[in-house]
């Protein structure tokens, strides 16, 4: 029987970011591609039993066996990436989208006096296509700006030089309205028309600054020549273009054939993301995992992955975008490490995807193999705490007292970064009088490791002291007396700012608040405090109860302890008869107890 898909675990790995998601069946076939403004919310909706879904969607959900996703920067980018991926892979359940219209492009027709219009079909006839545009309304806004700014022909006449010279055409209403300059009757030269087309290309490619600089120069010339009507028209065009803002696309249309790679490396593995850019859109995206065998460098790993991807997808791109210099000398390929611009955005997009893939995969590994997480965590702690060995055995000390009375010390033990409660210990302080926290710490540490040395028990790699420099100095004093201060790493953690202190170091160490190392140390400290305060309260409560019995003549600590153990409380002792008391004490002691509580009652 096939294992049921655990969609709840899969959903936890999907981020709240825009992107494209992909559903795969048990045969590892891609069955559906969708877009989302919020990936997790959208994918979760498929598995919501209360949601209203049609029969097709219900069937789709039953076949899902795996979910993958690609992150993008904006929702618009998700639309465009979804479209290009559906065209590329044609998944079984994307029937409606596969037969639907494609996203629009703006075409500059390959002809004399080129027309500019929009189309959904790309024909290889030498025409220039710009886009695609995420929505028809967005594209129409751009065309409207062009029409308002640049008078161009809209007719489909064959405006060859021969036909124009023969006078085969007459200007139409568009000329009368000022929307066309009449190239059909030689009212506009080819050079002037071509100049307008070049400016339009710059605008569509986002190079609006160069166009504005040219218009400013033309305005100044018109004013100098006192052609104020022309200057006014140029000023209006300048203002329209100045307020114009290019709309977002997945990739700038000038980027036609590029491979993009990024890498995220761990101690024993690495992850490489690949984006394939063709005709202004992302047509392929994938992330793979590489196992390290000989502690290879990121440069070696990325070079290997580039070769693998280009062979797998038969890529022949002449330019490859990478996050750092690979030191590869190939005259047929240009390696680019972008710092700014559209190419940098592509690299950032690739890096976002590889980081999410890395986190997802590591979480999966650590869930299935907890020892992997343990080794990674201990290795990180060793680095963060400047140790020379893994802190597999950690002990933490904490002191408690009540107004100087009932002082106790507690020690908790973590092994492999997890509590080992069977090894927890507490100490009744024997040598300290009054509320002396430093002396209490000194006694507890000395007693703990004196016994471990006597028994031949292996010492911990890390000792954590709950407190600042004073408590830490007291602990070190005891360790020096035992001659083991150099055999273990000892740190103190101060509660106010969670700073870590080292012996003899004037300045504390601050770890990132989100650091896993700091979280383990905080857990140790909190567990030591919990364990110590629990023991302290029991001792304090017992001491408070015994005090009243100690006031009775002839009743010592041993006898009061027996009474409390038998009767469970002072109240029941107060209510006990002489016969009941004689079960524990002698007649003289019983009479003393009765007299004491009888006298107490009379006073009440």
């Amino acid at each position: 029987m096939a294992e049921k898909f655990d969609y709840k675990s899969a959903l936890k790995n999907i981020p709240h970011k825009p992107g494209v998601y992909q559903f795969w069946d048990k045969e590892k076939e891609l069955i559906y591609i969708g877009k989302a403004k919020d990936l997790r919310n959208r994918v979760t909706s498929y598995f919501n039993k209360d949601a209203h879904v049609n029969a097709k969607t219900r069937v789709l959900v039953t076949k899902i066996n795996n979910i993958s996703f690609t992150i993008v920067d904006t929702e618009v980018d998700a639309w465009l990436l979804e479209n290009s991926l559906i065209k590329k892979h044609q998944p079984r359940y994307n029937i409606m989208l596969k037969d639907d219209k494609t996203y629009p492009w703006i075409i500059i027709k390959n002809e004399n006096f080129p027309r500019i219009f929009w189309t959904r079909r790309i024909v290889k006839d030498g025409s220039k296509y710009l886009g695609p545009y995420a929505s028809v309304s967005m594209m129409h806004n751009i065309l409207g700006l062009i029409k308002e700014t640049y008078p161009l022909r809209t007719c489909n006449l064959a405006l060859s030089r021969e036909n124009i010279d023969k006078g085969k055409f007459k200007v139409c209403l568009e000329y009368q309205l000022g929307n066309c300059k009449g190239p059909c009757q030689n009212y506009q030269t080819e050079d002037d028309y071509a100049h307008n087309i070049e400016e339009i290309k710059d605008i569509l490619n986002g190079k609006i600054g160069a166009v504005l600089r040219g218009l400013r120069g033309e305005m100044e010339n018109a004013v100098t020549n006192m052609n104020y009507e022309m200057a006014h028209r140029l000023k209006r065009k300048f203002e329209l273009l100045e307020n114009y803002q290019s709309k977002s696309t997945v990739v700038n249309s000038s980027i036609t054939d590029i491979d993009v790679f990024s890498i995220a490396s761990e101690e024993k593995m690495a992850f490489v993301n690949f984006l394939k850019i063709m005709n202004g859109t992302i047509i392929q995206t994938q992330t793979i995992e590489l196992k390290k065998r000989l502690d290879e460098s990121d440069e070696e790993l990325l070079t290997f992955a580039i070769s693998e991807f280009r062979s797998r997808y038969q890529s022949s791109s002449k330019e490859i975008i990478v996050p750092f210099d690979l030191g590869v000398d190939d005259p047929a390929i240009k390696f680019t490490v972008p710092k700014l611009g559209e190419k940098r955005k592509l690299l950032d997009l690739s890096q976002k995807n590889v980081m999410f893939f890395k986190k997802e995969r590591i979480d999966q590994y650590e869930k299935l193999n907890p020892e992997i997480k343990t080794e990674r965590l201990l290795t990180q702690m060793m680095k963060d705490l400047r140790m020379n060995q893994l802190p597999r055995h950690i002990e933490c000390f904490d002191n408690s007292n009540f107004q100087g009375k009932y002082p106790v010390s507690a020690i908790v033990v973590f092994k492999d970064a997890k509590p080992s409660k069977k090894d927890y210990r507490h100490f009744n302080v024997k040598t300290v009088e009054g509320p002396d926290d430093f002396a209490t710490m000194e006694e507890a540490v000395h007693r703990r490791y004196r016994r471990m040395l006597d028994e031949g028990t292996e010492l911990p790699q890390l000792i954590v002291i709950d407190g600042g420099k004073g408590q830490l100095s007291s602990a070190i004093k005891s360790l020096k007396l035992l001659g083991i201060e150099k055999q273990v790493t000892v740190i103190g953690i101060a509660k106010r700012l969670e700073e870590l202190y080292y012996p003899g170091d004037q300045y504390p160490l601050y770890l990132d608040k989100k650091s896993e190392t700091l979280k383990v140390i905080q857990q140790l400290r909190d567990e030591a405090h919990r364990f110590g305060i629990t023991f302290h309260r029991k001792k304090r409560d017992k001491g408070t109860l015994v005090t009243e019995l100690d006031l009775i003549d002839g009743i010592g600590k041993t006898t009061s302890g027996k009474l409390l153990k038998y009767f469970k409380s002072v109240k029941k002792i107060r209510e006990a008869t002489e016969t009941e008391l004689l079960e524990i004490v002698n007649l003289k002691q019983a009479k003393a107890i009765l007299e004491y509580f009888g006298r107490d009652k009379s006073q009440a």
Side-chain angles (χ1 to χ4, degrees):
M1 183 177 178
E3 185 177 346
K4 188 176 180 181
F5 175 56
D6 185 8
Y7 70 87
K8 291 183 179 179
S9 296
L11 292 175
K12 291 179 181 178
N13 297 320
I14 301 176
H16 289 288
K17 289 184 175 293
V20 173
Y21 55 92
Q22 301 171 343
F23 294 155
W24 307 76
D25 64 15
K26 60 183 180 181
E27 281 80 31
K28 298 183 179 180
E29 179 184 352
L30 182 58
I31 58 176
Y32 187 77
I33 297 173
K35 63 180 180 297
K37 183 176 182 180
D38 185 308
L39 280 168
R40 182 181 292 186
N41 289 348
R42 182 67 185 97
V43 175
T44 300
S45 69
Y46 285 90
F47 300 93
N48 188 348
K49 295 180 180 179
D50 297 329
H52 178 71
V53 294
N54 56 36
K56 172 193 168 185
T57 304
R58 286 195 293 269
V59 172
L60 167 66
V61 172
T62 63
K63 294 183 179 294
I64 297 173
N65 193 59
N66 189 27
I67 303 172
S68 61
F69 56 88
T70 299
I71 308 161
V72 296
D73 289 325
T74 67
E75 186 180 8
V76 173
D77 293 343
W79 295 342
L80 299 176
L81 178 55
E82 176 203 35
N83 181 256
S84 59
L85 289 177
I86 289 173
K87 288 180 181 178
K88 174 75 176 177
H89 301 287
Q90 299 185 359
R92 186 193 322 165
Y93 286 94
N94 279 103
I95 297 173
M96 295 301 294
L97 286 172
K98 186 168 66 174
D99 294 335
D100 198 4
K101 295 178 180 179
T102 185
Y103 291 108
W105 296 73
I106 291 178
I107 178 176
I108 301 176
K109 194 68 176 172
N110 182 24
E111 60 189 0
N112 292 330
F113 300 98
R115 289 171 292 155
I116 296 181
F117 54 93
W118 68 276
T119 181
R120 295 185 187 272
R121 294 182 58 213
I122 296 179
V123 181
K124 294 182 179 180
D125 61 354
S127 298
K128 185 172 182 62
Y129 294 85
L130 299 110
Y133 292 91
S135 69
V136 174
S137 61
M138 180 190 299
M139 179 267 306
H140 278 304
N141 287 338
I142 297 172
L143 285 176
L145 174 72
I146 293 171
K147 184 177 180 179
E148 191 172 2
T149 312
Y150 296 94
L152 302 174
R153 75 167 178 128
T154 56
C155 63
N156 58 2
L157 300 176
L159 297 186
S160 66
R161 174 50 50 194
E162 182 182 358
N163 290 340
I164 295 173
D165 290 341
K166 289 181 178 180
K168 287 188 174 183
F169 312 114
K170 297 292 184 182
V171 292
C172 62
L173 183 60
E174 290 295 306
Y175 174 78
Q176 305 298 336
L177 294 174
N179 295 330
C180 177
K181 291 186 176 181
C184 58
Q185 283 192 253
N186 258 334
Y187 295 160
Q188 183 181 22
T189 65
E190 288 191 50
D191 288 342
D192 182 60
Y193 198 99
H195 176 72
N196 288 343
I197 293 296
E198 289 304 314
E199 286 190 356
I200 292 170
K201 287 180 182 179
D202 286 342
I203 293 169
L204 293 173
N205 284 316
K207 300 175 182 178
I208 197 169
V211 178
L212 291 173
R213 286 192 295 271
L215 286 174
R216 188 183 296 276
E218 291 180 33
M219 280 192 293
E220 291 173 355
N221 289 335
V223 171
T224 301
N225 296 327
M226 293 185 289
N227 189 346
Y228 300 114
E229 184 178 350
M230 173 62 73
H232 177 73
R233 288 199 299 266
L234 291 171
K235 181 183 178 182
R236 185 172 180 277
K237 181 189 292 188
F238 183 90
E239 290 173 346
L240 284 170
L241 293 176
E242 195 175 36
N243 293 326
Y244 168 72
Q245 292 182 347
S246 298
K247 304 300 180 180
S248 174
T249 56
V250 169
V251 183
N252 188 291
S253 57
S254 63
I255 300 177
T256 57
D257 188 2
I258 284 181
D259 293 344
V260 185
F261 293 91
S262 62
I263 185 170
S265 187
E266 283 287 308
E267 184 180 8
K268 296 181 179 180
M269 64 190 78
F271 306 90
V272 177
N273 175 260
F274 165 64
L275 299 178
K276 178 67 176 176
I277 316 300
M278 286 290 291
N279 298 322
T281 59
I282 299 172
I283 65 167
Q284 187 68 51
T285 173
Q286 187 180 358
T287 305
I288 61 171
E289 176 186 343
L290 301 175
K291 298 285 187 181
K292 292 185 179 180
R293 300 297 185 189
L294 300 172
D295 195 26
E296 297 88 348
S297 66
D298 284 358
E299 288 81 1
E300 292 174 311
L301 293 166
L302 190 55
T303 302
F304 172 82
I306 290 174
S307 176
E308 168 65 21
F309 273 121
R310 286 172 68 85
S311 174
R312 182 182 302 182
Y313 295 107
Q314 299 180 348
S315 173
S316 58
S317 299
K318 302 300 182 183
E319 183 175 4
I320 298 177
I321 294 176
V322 289
F324 44 75
D325 184 17
L326 296 177
V328 177
D329 186 15
D330 189 336
I333 300 175
K334 177 185 177 183
F335 286 90
T336 302
V337 184
K339 303 299 182 184
L340 298 169
E342 294 294 330
K343 293 180 181 179
R344 180 67 210 187
K345 291 179 182 178
L346 281 173
L347 181 60
D348 290 342
L349 181 61
S350 178
Q351 289 176 330
K352 284 181 183 179
N353 279 280
V354 78
M355 292 304 295
F356 269 97
F357 185 90
K358 169 189 166 184
K359 182 180 183 303
E360 177 186 356
R361 188 55 57 90
I362 289 177
D363 288 346
Q364 290 175 354
Y365 284 156
E366 293 181 349
K367 186 175 181 181
L368 296 173
N369 305 285
E371 65 277 6
I372 294 179
K373 180 179 181 179
T374 299
E375 290 298 316
R376 180 185 59 78
L377 176 56
L378 293 178
T379 300
Q380 188 62 48
M381 291 185 69
M382 181 178 70
K383 293 178 181 178
D384 290 343
L385 299 177
R386 304 178 297 200
M387 300 176 63
N388 55 15
Q389 56 184 332
L390 295 177
R392 294 193 177 278
H393 180 175
I394 311 174
E395 298 189 349
C396 180
F397 288 83
D398 182 48
N399 297 333
S400 296
N401 66 73
F402 177 68
Q403 296 179 349
K405 297 181 179 180
Y406 317 113
V408 298
S409 283
I411 175 177
V412 298
V413 179
F414 274 30
K415 292 184 176 178
D416 288 338
K418 294 181 181 179
S420 179
K421 294 191 176 183
K422 66 182 179 64
D423 296 312
Y424 286 15
R425 297 290 184 271
H426 51 244
F427 302 95
N428 288 306
V429 179
K430 297 179 179 179
T431 63
V432 181
E433 296 292 338
D436 190 337
D437 199 35
F438 299 157
T440 301
M441 184 64 72
E442 185 178 338
E443 178 186 327
V445 171
H446 189 274
R447 288 172 59 186
R448 170 64 173 175
Y449 298 113
R450 175 74 273 167
R451 181 167 184 173
M452 293 185 75
L453 291 173
D454 291 343
E455 296 177 350
T457 307
E458 187 176 349
L459 295 171
Q461 290 82 39
L462 176 63
I463 298 173
V464 179
I465 304 299
D466 182 15
K469 292 182 180 179
Q471 288 87 348
L472 180 61
S473 297
S474 299
I476 292 297
K477 184 178 179 181
S478 290
L479 294 176
K480 285 183 177 180
L481 286 173
L482 297 170
I484 60 173
E485 76 279 6
K486 295 183 180 180
Q487 298 180 35
V488 295
T489 299
V490 188
I491 61 172
I493 177 171
K495 295 178 181 178
R496 188 170 66 89
L497 295 175
E498 305 289 53
E499 58 261 273
L500 303 180
Y501 286 95
Y502 285 83
D505 195 337
Q506 180 181 357
Y507 301 102
L509 171 68
Y510 293 95
L511 295 178
D512 189 288
K513 298 302 180 184
K514 297 181 180 179
S515 162
E516 288 184 292
T517 298
L518 181 59
K519 289 180 180 178
V520 172
I521 294 174
Q522 289 172 330
Q523 186 183 359
L524 272 158
R525 188 266 315 279
D526 295 343
E527 182 70 354
H529 183 69
R530 180 200 65 78
F531 183 65
I533 205 70
T534 300
F535 174 60
H536 169 259
R537 284 172 178 167
K538 288 181 179 179
K539 182 178 178 182
R540 185 189 65 193
D541 292 344
K542 183 178 179 181
T544 304
L545 292 172
V546 171
T547 299
E548 189 172 13
L549 297 179
D550 286 343
L551 297 175
I552 304 173
D553 292 337
I555 304 298
K557 288 187 177 181
T558 301
T559 304
S560 62
K562 291 180 180 179
L563 286 166
L564 283 169
K565 184 176 181 181
Y566 182 84
F567 288 102
K568 307 300 182 186
S569 70
V570 174
K571 179 182 178 182
K572 289 185 178 180
I573 295 173
R574 182 186 293 116
E575 296 172 349
T577 63
E578 182 178 305
T579 303
E580 291 173 331
L581 290 172
L582 289 173
E583 293 288 332
I584 305 298
V585 299
N586 59 37
L587 181 60
K588 183 179 179 180
Q589 290 173 324
K591 288 184 178 295
I593 293 171
L594 291 172
E595 287 179 7
Y596 175 81
F597 285 117
R599 184 168 58 253
D600 187 62
K601 290 177 183 178
S602 65
Q603 291 174 352

